Amino acid sequence: MNYLGIGVSPGNVPVYHGNNLKVIDRRVRVTELVLRCVIFGLAILGVILIGTDKQVKVIFSIEKIAKFTDMKALVFLVIANGLAAAYSLVQVLRCILSMIRGTVLFNKPLAWAIFSGDQLMAYLTLTAVAAAAQSAVFAKLGQTELQWMKICNMYGKFCNQVGEGIASSLIVSLSMIVLSGISAFSLFRLYGNSKGKGNAI
Amino acid sequence: MNYLGIGVSPGNVPVYHGNNLKVIDRRVRVTELVLRCVIFGLAILGVILIGTDKQVKVIFSIEKIAKFTDMKALVFLVIANGLAAAYSLVQVLRCILSMIRGTVLFNKPLAWAIFSGDQLMAYLTLTAVAAAAQSAVFAKLGQTELQWMKICNMYGKFCNQVGEGIASSLIVSLSMIVLSGISAFSLFRLYGNSKGKGNAI
């Protein structure tokens, strides 16, 4: 008599359960790979859009240059996007490697590392996007109560490109949120208890 | 012969496994209850600190009033804290009810609802804190490149109280992040596969 499947060799696992698992695993892995590629591409795009943004304006023969380093929130966003791109590249390679080998994630320390990394990146990118978006709102609309004037009517092209960079970063952070859900699923189902299966609706 | 524990009545579950589960469940439930109470208290504190903040300054016989509605990010933070407090109150009641009844969360739709709610609140409160913190940085330090002057040397008392409100909200959002991890654990372990148990490190 064997309770809870402990010590059950893979050959003994009922077929319907194994198939079900395989389908879920395949879907999870494909979704994960696609999202990580999207994040990699859009994070690089965000870095390029914001990092190369510059506009020169001549006012009464004085040359004024608007660049992303004038606003700390944009520097933070470029750094966050750079980190997200580097992290995603490593994860894409890991996903491809595990697909080639055909292994499934049953290693708790690795699952914990991926879960922690994904959570950290999701919160980091979201924080950076929120701070940059707040700065962009001030730049676009100004804050008359505080006598902070809008600057986007002076630097229109600069502001538009920053806006595109923030939009790209927002998709990066939303994708990271979905991914952190997937890695939470991959990690915590390793702690599954069979007792729950019978009662679960 | 019984595979995977499906259909095993609770009485047949090996004792060491049941005890282990009970210890984890008790710890998870106590941590959850404490965190939800902390969030409720600090979110209310955040609402009071920011919502009641006001400073009157007389400049050349003109009365100037600083209040939280002057800055949209602070209004957003007050709303986010209010939602977090209301949500936590409902969740505290649910936790107490489930503790009195002694039931364990094995209901997938309820686990999904709690998981989604916690995730939403974690991202919402973090976004609100990031936007408010960015505004506070501008108010405290100004942004000389854009000719946005600092206002905290004029409204010192107002700014300090806002700072305390943001600090309180930051603890709310960090607690929500930990809670969203706990609810992810409670949900996804219901999808556990016993095959993994043998291989897991």
Side-chain angles (χ1 to χ4, degrees), chain A residues 105-112 187 190-191, chain B residues 196-201:
Chain A
L105 188 63
F106 281 143
N107 179 322
K108 277 186 190 174
L110 181 62
W112 267 107
L187 169 62
L190 299 181
Y191 292 84
Chain B
K197 278 178 205 277
N199 301 352
I201 295 165

Side-chain angles (χ1 to χ4, degrees), chain A residues 95-199:
Chain A
C95 284
I96 292 173
L97 205 74
S98 97
M99 273 182 162
I100 292 171
R101 283 193 187 168
T103 52
V104 181
L105 188 63
F106 281 143
N107 179 322
K108 277 186 190 174
L110 181 62
W112 267 107
I114 296 169
F115 168 75
S116 310
D118 285 354
Q119 290 276 322
L120 190 71
M121 292 310 303
Y123 291 117
L124 179 74
T125 51
L126 190 72
T127 308
V129 168
Q134 178 59 69
S135 302
V137 168
F138 283 140
K140 183 85 185 164
L141 306 176
Q143 186 80 29
T144 46
E145 292 90 344
L146 311 177
Q147 289 164 349
W148 293 350
M149 59 177 188
K150 40 181 120 169
I151 53 158
C152 282
N153 39 9
M154 264 178 77
Y155 299 101
K157 182 234 145 209
F158 177 81
C159 280
N160 282 344
Q161 195 166 324
V162 165
E164 288 158 13
I166 291 176
S168 165
S169 312
L170 180 64
I171 303 175
V172 166
S173 86
L174 294 178
S175 307
M176 274 307 319
I177 288 174
V178 176
L179 262 181
S180 71
I182 290 178
S183 61
F185 168 74
S186 299
L187 169 62
F188 293 127
R189 67 177 179 155
L190 299 181
Y191 292 84
N193 59 85
S194 305
K195 200 178 138 196
K197 279 176 203 280
N199 300 353

Side-chain angles (χ1 to χ4, degrees), chain A residues 2 30 43 53 74 89 94 114 129 151 158 165 197:
Chain A
N2 191 317
V30 171
D53 200 7
L74 294 182
L89 185 62
R94 182 197 57 79
I114 296 169
V129 168
I151 53 158
F158 177 81
K197 279 176 203 280

Side-chain angles (χ1 to χ4, degrees), chain A residues 1-8 108 192-195, chain B residues 4-5 8 10-26 189 194 197-198:
Chain A
M1 188 108 173
N2 191 317
Y3 297 112
L4 302 165
I6 294 170
V8 171
K108 277 186 190 174
N193 59 85
S194 305
K195 200 178 138 196
Chain B
L4 301 163
V8 171
N12 291 339
V13 176
V15 178
Y16 76 93
H17 188 256
N19 274 349
N20 205 8
L21 246 184
K22 268 187 191 168
V23 171
I24 292 176
D25 276 327
R26 202 179 310 128
R189 67 177 179 156
S194 305
K197 278 178 205 277

